[in-house]
């Protein structure tokens, strides 16, 4: 059995130390109540007291707290720097910067031993007799500037002001009475030191919005961004950089960021606090103007020195290193010696400007894309530099620290993506990120101790509200949210925006629409994505989306009017827009198939596609019109009409067909499982096999190839065949459902038939069945030559309950089982390893395929691939290397959001069998298992789960 890493052991020990010596309640618990009880502190008529010498950012946020009090209680408290007085004073300050706080400490009125000297801690406490004549006061004390700020914003949120109040128009519910419960409350130290977002790919949405609302992406806009980050307990920002320069476009930007306590960085390819745009603007002033260290080293050093000198007095994480101009590789190949020289020269600049050792200035080296190759081939930077590891731009982490390596002084971080511009295709329009996947990947980062910096690319910021909240909440304390708590997290988040009445229903909608959207990015959808003919796949996709729309609209009708703008942004628009887009592509697919089959209704689908295409733009305009057009332009990102990775300049409707229709009616027949139509086809008309345990229904469509109506009749040769409608009239098309009366069918396999007639035209349809005796059958039962099992529906966990963890809702069709979520593991096979057991029953024998469908996790160990093992019955287990044994390339895996691994098995006998899947390495995320004889019918989501014998 693999052993826990030292890193994990240290975390466990730290947890026990905290439990043993830290008795103050966590601020995650709500310390605000609308119910008065003994020793509660009333909040409805308070005065806010601050020291004039405290940080300017503390005073700025105190004004927000003042405003928030008025929104909640109706009373705007006075802000005072005078001597503490009044009935209900609230004393706010930073230890060592506020005489008010320091005096309470010196008089033993306030115990700050649990937060003093710690990073970004705050304490909320009610103290007795804080000054002469004052009975008690509420104290918000911070260990540092951001600690105090977080304390104020935490109180605002606990009172009922959502962090998304401004950015998503979430209303504030009035409270006639509000109280602080007795006790002391603290935040604890965030587990991830720097936690932030990257505003990127900001055109055309956010860029046009900001220019209309603020006159540009300037300090007015950024002030709202800073406040949002702090309300979400983040502290870090990479600013927008598409043709923008944070420090030059508006010189107030860095000043205001520093006042608020936002740590500024620059993106992975913008070293030494200088934006890429600055080089474009000033390159002629620096040497020969080339972004090439081999030909223009002195010019680049001067450029970097000027930028660092300009911002040296602000709190920055300084990006070091170099990529090519325009976020491209610097050279062909890996120029390690050159890049080492660049880093050394940049650190020399830092030392010369600051007059201090370079290690005293926080620095980051981003191992993004090809830069990771430098590291993998042996390049190293000084130990104090944070190594910023990255995902693959599609939410799959490329590399994590080796637990056996010595800890780095600068530690490790993660650069993650909710938005991306690049191959295999841009994804910028809507949120397609499941928080379950974020949890699964970032939990790995935490377990492997990449905890110095987490930054996520959020595109336009909207509409990524939900995953942004989760990312920053999880960064604050990954141990507070386990896989089993993700559903509760979603419900709690919704409750903070919309109240408790509909919270569970709305969170279910959020979780489902992100699940559906994550199956394939909207920008990658096409008419060919989902199967029209197999498993009712396309129909079910449209139906599932439209059911979400129905539920979302139903709740919208019941919500008070003041919630509707927020609800439209956070729930209704993304659900309706996603549903419409999926239906658009399915309607296009139907138009094309029906035109090939000669169905007259193909022309109706031409009009349907036009309607859905128009509806897309109408939904966008509806978004832009809400809240008095506050968000105009924000959803203007193109998303229909992609022909390669880059976005189309304008939306382009999918091509549709119009056909000539005969003047007289004429019958055609189509059926599940085939693109053929009859009587035009000379192939046999045969439905998929019916199985008595699965008790399927398959469809046959009777359609008209001409104008007018015709009558049809069904003639059955076998009494056990049931057809939903045995005669009728057809003007365009009619779907008939075929099922089996198993009581009338003999046991075993056989084939019956029925025919459909219109006048002299007749089509005979074969109906193969398998009437199974269910005695002694155990587990999932084969039908149509396959057995399909959702990974979460195992029959037993073996050896270690913690070895495999259920991540609910993660996956294309069900939930996911992931390995070793609590202990970094790169192990060897042993029968003592944790395993999942699946029971199944087969009828096919001989050589068969077993197919494992996994989330597209990468080989973050960089040791040749992640591994698991499987065994059938008592056969010797076979080790599978996901990354060596898959035939899917990276683009296929991320595009499909699945990695397929296929192996061979030999089932010599029909009957009950057992499959075991053994864990070897951390990070295996298993979604579905398929055992098949030959090929199965083609579909995007794979065959639905087989029926299990009870």
């Amino acid at each position: 059995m693999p052993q826990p890493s030292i890193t994990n052991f240290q975390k466990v020990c730290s947890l026990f130390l905290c439990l043993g010596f830290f008795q103050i309640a966590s601020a995650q618990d709500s310390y605000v109540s609308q119910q008065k009880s003994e020793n509660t502190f009333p909040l409805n008529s308070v005065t806010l007291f601050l020291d004039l010498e405290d940080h300017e950012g503390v005073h700025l946020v105190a004004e927000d707290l003042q405003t928030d009090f008025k929104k909640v209680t109706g009373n705007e408290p006075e802000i005072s720097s005078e001597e503490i007085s009044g009935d209900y004073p609230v004393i706010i300050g930073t230890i060592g910067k506020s005489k008010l706080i320091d005096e309470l400490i010196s008089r033993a009125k306030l115990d700050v031993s649990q937060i003093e000297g710690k990073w970004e801690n705050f304490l909320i406490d009610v103290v007795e007799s804080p000054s002469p004549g004052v009975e008690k006061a509420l104290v918000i004390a911070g260990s540092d500037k951001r600690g105090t700020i977080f304390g104020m914003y935490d109180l605002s949120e606990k009172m009922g002001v959502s962090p998304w109040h401004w950015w998503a128009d979430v209303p504030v519910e009035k409270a006639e009475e509000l109280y602080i419960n007795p006790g002391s409350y603290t935040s604890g130290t965030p587990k991830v030191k720097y936690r932030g977002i990257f505003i990127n790919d900001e055109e055309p949405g956010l860029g046009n919005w900001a220019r209309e609302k603020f006159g540009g992406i300037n300090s007015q806009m950024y002030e709202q961004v800073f406040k949002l980050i702090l309300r979400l307990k983040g502290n870090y920002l990479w600013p927008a950089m598409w043709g923008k320069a944070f420090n030059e476009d508006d010189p107030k930007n860095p000043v205001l960021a520093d006042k608020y306590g936002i740590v500024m960085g620059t993106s992975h390819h913008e070293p030494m606090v200088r934006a890429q745009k600055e080089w474009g603007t000033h390159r002629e002033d620096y040497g020969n103007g080339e972004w090439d260290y081999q030909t223009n080293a002195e010019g680049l050093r001067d450029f970097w020195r000027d930028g660092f000198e300009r911002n040296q007095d602000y709190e920055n994480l300084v990006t070091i290193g170099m990529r090519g101009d325009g976020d491209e590789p610097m050279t062909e190949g890996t120029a390690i010696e050159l890049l080492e020289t660049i880093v050394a020269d940049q650190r020399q600049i830092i030392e010369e400007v600051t007059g201090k050792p370079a290690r005293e200035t926080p620095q980051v080296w981003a191992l993004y894309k090809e830069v990771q190759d430098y590291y993998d081939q042996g390049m190293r930077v000084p130990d104090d530099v944070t190594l910023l590891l990255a995902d693959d731009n599609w939410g799959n982490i490329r590399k994590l620290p080796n637990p056996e390596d010595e800890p780095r002084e600068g530690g490790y971080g993660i650069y993650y993506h909710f938005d991306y511009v690049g191959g295999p295709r841009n994804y910028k329009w809507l949120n397609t990120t499941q928080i379950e996947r974020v949890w699964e990947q970032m939990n790995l980062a935490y377990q492997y101790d990449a905890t110095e910096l987490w930054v996520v690319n959020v595109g336009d910021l909207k509409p990524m509200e939900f995953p942004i909240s989760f990312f920053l909440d999880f960064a604050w304390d990954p141990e507070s949210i386990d896989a089993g708590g993700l559903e509760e997290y979603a419900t709690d988040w919704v409750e903070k925006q919309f109240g408790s009445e509909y919270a569970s229903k709305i969170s279910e909608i959020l979780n489902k629409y992100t699940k559906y959207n994550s199956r394939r990015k909207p920008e990658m959808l096409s008419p060919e994505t989902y199967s029209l003919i197999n498993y009712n796949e396309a129909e079910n996709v449209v139906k599932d989306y439209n059911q979400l729309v129905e539920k979302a609209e139903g709740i919208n009708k019941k919500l008070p009017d003041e919630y509707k703008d927020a609800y439209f942004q956070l729930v209704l628009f993304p659900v309706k827009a996603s549903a419409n887009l999926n239906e658009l592509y399915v309607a296009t697919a139907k138009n094309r198939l029906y035109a090939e089959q000669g169905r007259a209704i193909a022309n109706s689908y031409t009009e349907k596609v036009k309607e859905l295409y128009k509806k897309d733009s109408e939904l966008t305009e509806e978004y832009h019109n809400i809240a008095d057009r506050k968000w105009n332009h924000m959803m203007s990102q193109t998303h229909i009409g992609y022909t390669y990775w880059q976005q189309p300049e304008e939306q382009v409707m999918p091509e549709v067909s119009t056909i000539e229709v005969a003047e007289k009616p004429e019958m055609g027949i189509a059926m599940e499982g085939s693109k053929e139509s009859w009587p035009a086809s000379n192939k046999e008309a045969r439905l998929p096999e019916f199985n008595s345990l699965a008790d399927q229904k398959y469809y046959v469509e009777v359609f008209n190839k001409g104008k007018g109506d015709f009558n049809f009749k069904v003639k059955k040769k076998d009494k056990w065949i049931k057809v939903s409608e045995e005669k009728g009239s057809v003007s365009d098309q009619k779907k008939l459902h075929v099922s089996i009366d198993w009581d009338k069918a003999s046991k075993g396999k056989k084939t019956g038939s029925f025919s459909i007639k219109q006048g002299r035209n007749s089509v005979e349809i074969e109906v193969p069945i398998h009437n199974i005796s269910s005695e002694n059958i155990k587990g999932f039962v084969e039908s149509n030559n396959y057995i399909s099992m959702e990974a979460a529906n195992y029959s037993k966990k073996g050896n270690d309950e913690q070895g495999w963890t259920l991540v609910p809702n993660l996956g294309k069709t069900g939930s996911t089982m992931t390995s070793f979520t609590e202990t970094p593991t790169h192990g060897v096979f042993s029968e003592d390893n944790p395993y999942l057991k699946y029971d199944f029953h087969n009828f096919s024998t001989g050589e068969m395929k077993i197919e494992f469908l996994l989330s597209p996790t990468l080989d973050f160990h960089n040791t040749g691939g992640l591994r698991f093992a499987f065994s059938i019955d008592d056969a010797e287990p076979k080790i599978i290397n996901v990354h060596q044994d898959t035939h899917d390339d990276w683009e296929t895996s991320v595009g499909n959001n699945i990695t397929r691994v296929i192996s061979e098995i030999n089932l010599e006998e029909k009957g009950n069998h057992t499959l075991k899947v053994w864990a070897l390495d951390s990070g295996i995320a298993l979604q579905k298992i398929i055992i098949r004889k030959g090929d199965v019918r083609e579909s995007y989501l794979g065959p639905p789960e087989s029926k299990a014998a009870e």
Side-chain angles (χ1 to χ4, degrees):
M1 180 69 189
Q3 297 300 309
S5 71
I6 289 182
T7 300
N8 197 67
F9 177 75
Q10 289 171 337
K11 289 176 183 173
V12 173
C13 290
S14 298
L15 177 61
F16 279 107
L17 285 171
C18 289
L19 291 174
F21 296 103
F22 190 34
Q23 301 298 326
I24 298 175
S26 167
Q28 291 180 0
D29 303 320
S30 184
Y31 48 82
V32 176
S33 171
Q34 294 189 24
Q35 301 298 319
K36 183 178 182 180
S37 61
E38 187 176 359
N39 296 324
T40 52
F41 184 92
L43 293 174
N44 285 65
S45 298
V46 301
T47 302
L48 309 181
F49 289 88
L50 291 88
D51 189 328
L52 284 174
E53 299 302 313
D54 210 333
H55 299 283
E56 189 172 352
V58 170
H59 285 268
L60 288 171
V61 174
E63 293 175 6
D64 282 351
L65 181 61
Q66 177 188 44
T67 301
D68 291 348
F69 263 110
K70 183 175 182 181
K71 289 172 181 174
V72 177
T73 68
N75 299 319
E76 182 175 84
E78 179 186 352
I79 296 178
S80 174
S81 297
E82 304 296 328
E83 185 176 342
I84 298 169
S85 61
D87 293 333
Y88 305 112
V90 177
I91 304 169
I92 301 166
T94 308
I95 298 170
K97 285 290 289 184
S98 168
K99 294 176 183 177
L100 300 177
I101 297 297
D102 291 347
E103 184 178 344
L104 290 174
I105 296 170
S106 67
R107 292 171 51 214
K109 294 292 184 180
L110 183 67
D111 180 5
V112 295
S113 60
Q114 298 295 346
I115 70 168
E116 190 170 14
K118 295 182 179 178
W119 179 264
E120 298 181 344
N121 274 234
F122 65 83
L123 173 69
I124 293 178
D125 198 0
V126 177
V127 300
E128 304 294 330
S129 304
S131 64
V134 177
E135 181 180 346
K136 58 183 176 180
L138 176 66
V139 176
I140 303 174
S143 62
D144 51 25
K145 175 168 65 175
R146 281 190 295 274
T148 309
I149 288 171
F150 289 152
M152 287 187 280
Y153 277 143
D154 192 76
L155 176 57
S156 285
E157 184 175 11
K158 295 295 193 297
M159 290 193 304
V161 180
S162 167
W164 296 100
H165 172 65
W166 192 90
W167 277 96
D169 303 301
V170 176
V172 177
E173 186 176 342
K174 297 284 187 181
E176 293 183 4
E177 296 186 358
L178 216 55
Y179 303 91
I180 296 287
N181 293 326
S184 296
Y185 302 87
T186 185
S187 58
T189 303
K191 299 293 195 303
V192 177
K193 187 172 184 179
Y194 297 104
R195 310 164 305 280
I197 63 173
F198 177 20
I199 295 175
N200 190 217
D201 312 328
E202 67 274 4
E203 300 292 348
L206 182 133
N208 286 330
W209 167 78
R211 283 186 283 275
E212 179 174 288
K213 188 166 185 66
F214 298 110
I217 294 183
N218 54 27
S219 58
Q220 294 179 60
M221 188 208 82
Y222 274 119
E223 184 167 20
Q224 297 299 335
V225 175
F226 300 155
K227 291 180 180 183
L228 174 67
I229 292 171
L230 293 168
R231 284 183 184 270
L232 293 170
K233 294 189 179 65
N235 59 9
Y236 184 65
L237 175 67
W238 284 357
M241 45 70 62
W242 272 22
K244 301 172 186 69
F246 179 81
N247 296 297
E248 289 192 345
D249 292 345
D250 185 345
K252 294 178 183 177
N253 284 338
V255 176
L256 195 60
D258 196 62
K259 286 180 180 178
Y260 273 102
I262 296 295
V263 183
M264 291 303 302
T266 47
S267 70
H268 52 87
H269 68 105
E270 298 177 304
M272 299 295 285
V273 206
R274 300 218 72 167
Q276 181 187 3
K277 180 191 174 186
E278 293 183 53
W279 180 252
T281 302
H282 303 293
R283 65 192 310 157
E284 300 303 323
D285 300 330
Y286 294 99
N288 62 17
E290 294 179 357
W291 186 265
D292 187 332
Y293 209 70
Q294 293 174 308
T295 64
N296 193 25
E298 184 176 354
L300 285 164
R301 284 195 297 269
D302 290 343
F303 175 71
W304 292 332
R305 181 185 298 273
D306 289 348
F308 185 73
E309 285 180 342
R310 175 190 62 199
N311 289 74
Q312 64 175 310
D313 294 330
Y314 306 135
E315 193 174 5
N316 299 294
L317 272 179
V318 181
T319 298
I320 60 172
M322 186 177 181
R323 290 191 82 214
D325 196 13
D327 197 13
E328 296 293 334
M330 185 171 60
T331 63
E332 292 185 13
T334 307
I336 291 177
E337 185 176 349
L338 175 62
L339 190 53
E340 287 178 336
T341 299
I342 290 169
V343 169
D345 289 352
Q346 290 169 339
R347 286 171 64 83
Q348 184 177 349
I349 291 169
I350 291 171
E351 290 189 346
E352 291 171 355
V353 172
T354 64
K356 300 175 183 178
R359 69 183 326 108
E360 294 185 21
T361 298
Q363 299 151 64
V364 175
W365 183 36
L367 304 187
Y368 180 70
K369 288 191 173 180
E370 85 290 339
V371 180
Q372 184 179 312
D373 296 339
Y374 288 73
Y375 184 85
D376 290 342
Q377 294 181 32
M379 178 177 168
R380 293 297 181 264
V381 294
D383 195 61
D384 59 278
V385 176
T386 299
L387 297 185
L388 185 62
L389 309 172
D391 69 356
D392 60 353
N393 304 305
W394 286 70
N396 309 297
I397 294 175
R398 295 178 65 202
K399 186 180 186 65
L400 287 172
N402 185 340
E404 296 179 3
D405 288 348
E406 289 293 321
R408 290 180 55 80
E409 180 185 340
Y412 300 85
I414 298 293
Y415 171 33
Y416 202 72
H417 286 75
F418 296 160
D419 164 285
Y420 180 58
V421 168
R425 191 156 292 181
N426 296 357
Y427 62 97
K428 298 174 60 180
W429 178 46
L430 290 176
N431 174 32
T432 60
T433 301
Q434 289 188 271
I435 65 167
E436 294 87 352
R437 181 60 170 169
V438 180
W439 180 90
E440 188 265 332
Q441 287 288 287
M442 298 312 293
N443 177 65
L444 284 171
Y446 178 66
Q447 296 301 332
Y448 280 80
D449 211 25
T451 57
E452 188 72 8
L453 164 63
W454 288 5
V455 60
V456 59
N457 187 325
V458 300
D460 290 331
L461 196 151
K462 297 177 71 66
M464 306 299 177
E465 298 93 343
F466 181 41
I468 289 172
S469 285
F470 178 78
F471 186 87
L472 294 178
D473 282 342
F474 194 58
W476 182 276
D477 185 8
E479 294 175 13
S480 69
I481 307 172
D482 61 17
L486 291 168
E487 184 177 344
E488 181 182 359
Y489 176 87
T491 302
D492 289 346
W493 187 84
V494 169
E495 187 171 341
K496 290 174 184 177
Q497 322 312 321
F498 303 110
S500 60
E501 186 173 0
Y502 303 108
S504 62
K505 293 180 179 179
I506 296 173
S507 67
E508 181 184 5
I509 293 169
L510 276 182
N511 286 334
K512 283 190 174 179
Y513 108 75
T514 51
K515 180 185 187 73
Y516 297 161
N517 267 6
S518 71
R519 289 169 171 169
R520 194 166 186 85
K521 306 293 188 187
E523 292 85 348
M524 292 196 75
L525 288 171
S526 74
E528 293 75 38
T529 299
Y530 295 110
S531 175
L532 284 179
I533 61 171
N534 293 322
Y535 314 118
N536 288 302
E537 184 177 67
E539 293 282 354
N540 286 334
V541 165
V542 171
K543 182 184 73 173
D544 289 346
Y545 266 116
N546 286 337
Q547 284 178 347
L548 281 188
V549 171
E550 185 178 351
K551 291 177 181 178
E553 288 183 327
I555 293 170
N556 185 57
K557 291 176 183 177
K558 297 175 184 177
L559 283 174
D561 287 345
E562 60 266 26
Y563 286 94
K564 291 190 174 179
D565 284 345
Y567 186 74
F568 188 82
Q569 294 167 63
L570 299 176
V571 183
L572 192 56
F573 172 79
V575 170
K576 292 180 73 172
S578 301
N580 184 76
L581 187 69
N582 277 267
E583 188 170 4
L584 167 70
Y585 284 115
V586 171
T588 303
K590 287 183 175 181
N591 165 262
R592 295 177 184 178
L593 176 63
Y594 294 172
E596 289 176 9
Q597 295 175 337
R599 301 194 199 193
I601 201 173
N603 294 340
S604 297
Y605 274 91
T606 299
E607 299 306 311
K608 179 74 170 176
V609 170
K610 292 177 181 177
E611 291 171 10
L612 293 167
Y613 179 72
K614 181 182 178 184
K615 185 178 178 181
D616 179 90
S617 61
E618 291 172 347
L619 285 168
T620 300
E621 188 60 24
E622 186 178 357
Y623 190 109
H624 292 161
N625 279 324
I626 62 171
D628 297 323
R629 294 186 69 80
K630 177 180 176 180
W631 303 110
N632 190 33
H633 305 296
M634 187 60 85
M635 294 309 303
S636 57
Q637 176 61 50
T638 56
H639 48 276
I640 305 174
Y642 275 81
T643 57
Y644 69 121
W645 69 266
Q646 183 59 283
Q647 67 192 42
E649 289 299 314
E650 295 180 349
Q651 305 240 105
V652 180
M653 191 185 85
E655 291 185 8
V656 290
S657 299
T658 302
I659 62 174
E660 293 292 330
V661 176
E663 290 298 319
K664 293 183 179 180
E666 180 183 349
M667 183 184 76
I669 300 293
M671 67 185 64
E672 186 163 350
S674 177
K675 291 185 177 181
E676 301 290 325
S677 66
W678 291 267
S681 175
N682 57 11
K683 296 181 179 180
E684 67 177 16
R686 183 181 178 89
L687 286 167
E689 183 182 78
F690 293 79
N691 174 303
S692 57
L693 286 178
D695 195 23
Q696 302 100 327
K697 287 184 179 179
Y698 298 122
Y699 69 81
V700 172
E701 288 180 319
V702 184
F703 61 84
N704 195 346
K705 301 175 75 171
K707 299 177 182 178
D709 300 345
F710 68 84
N711 295 321
F712 73 91
K713 288 185 179 181
V714 172
K715 184 177 181 180
K716 297 186 294 183
K717 289 187 177 180
D718 301 274
K719 294 182 179 180
W720 41 264
I721 297 174
K722 298 192 294 185
V723 182
S724 60
E725 196 169 340
E726 296 192 6
K727 62 180 179 179
S729 177
V730 174
S731 57
D732 46 36
Q733 65 183 24
K734 182 165 290 189
K735 182 172 286 188
L736 310 180
H737 295 283
V738 182
S739 58
I740 306 300
D741 186 338
W742 296 105
D743 291 334
K744 295 180 180 178
S746 57
K747 295 294 182 183
K749 288 193 172 190
K750 66 183 303 182
T751 300
S753 67
F754 68 95
S755 59
I756 302 176
K757 294 185 177 183
Q758 176 226 356
R760 295 181 179 179
N761 293 327
S762 178
V763 175
E764 184 171 352
I765 300 167
E766 294 184 352
V767 182
I769 68 168
H770 188 183
N771 195 358
I772 303 164
S773 175
S774 59
E775 294 180 8
N776 301 319
I777 287 183
K778 187 177 181 181
F780 294 96
V781 180
E782 179 184 346
S783 179
N784 285 290
N785 299 319
Y786 75 83
I787 302 160
S788 176
M789 301 174 282
E790 292 288 346
N793 294 333
Y794 56 87
S795 57
K796 179 185 175 182
K797 269 187 183 181
N799 291 338
D800 179 4
E801 281 289 318
Q802 304 304 316
W804 287 98
T805 297
L806 172 69
V807 185
N809 195 53
L810 174 59
K812 293 172 76 168
T813 54
S815 297
T816 291
M817 299 302 298
T818 188
S819 58
F820 297 121
T821 60
E822 298 182 4
T823 308
T825 303
H826 185 58
V828 296
F829 178 77
S830 163
E831 290 193 358
D832 293 330
N833 282 25
Y835 66 82
L836 299 170
K837 176 185 171 187
Y838 301 86
D839 296 317
F840 67 91
H841 188 98
N842 65 298
F843 301 106
S844 301
T845 58
E847 294 294 327
M848 299 180 73
K849 303 289 187 184
I850 183 166
E851 189 170 345
F852 298 93
L853 276 58
L854 306 108
S855 298
T857 305
L858 300 179
D859 175 22
F860 55 82
H861 289 139
N862 297 124
T863 54
L866 301 183
R867 299 157 307 136
F868 65 95
F870 77 91
S871 62
I872 303 290
D873 300 330
D874 296 323
E876 182 178 350
K878 180 177 182 179
I879 294 176
I880 295 293
N881 186 310
V882 173
H883 300 97
Q884 293 180 15
D885 295 338
T886 183
H887 295 296
D888 294 344
D889 60 19
W890 174 81
E891 287 201 356
T892 300
S893 288
V894 298
N896 292 336
N897 201 19
I898 209 81
T899 295
R900 296 174 181 265
V901 179
I902 302 173
S903 187
E904 293 184 352
I905 59 175
N906 192 318
L907 295 176
E908 295 180 354
E909 296 182 357
K910 302 177 183 179
N912 296 329
H913 297 276
T914 297
L915 165 69
K916 290 181 180 178
V917 181
W918 310 76
L920 273 72
D921 294 339
S922 298
I924 296 296
L926 180 61
Q927 295 188 19
K928 182 182 279 191
I929 305 162
I930 302 166
I931 298 173
R932 56 182 172 84
K933 182 76 171 179
D935 294 328
V936 296
R937 289 186 284 144
E938 185 179 347
S939 66
Y940 182 70
L941 299 176
E945 187 170 51
S946 301
K947 181 76 173 180
E950 297 178 359

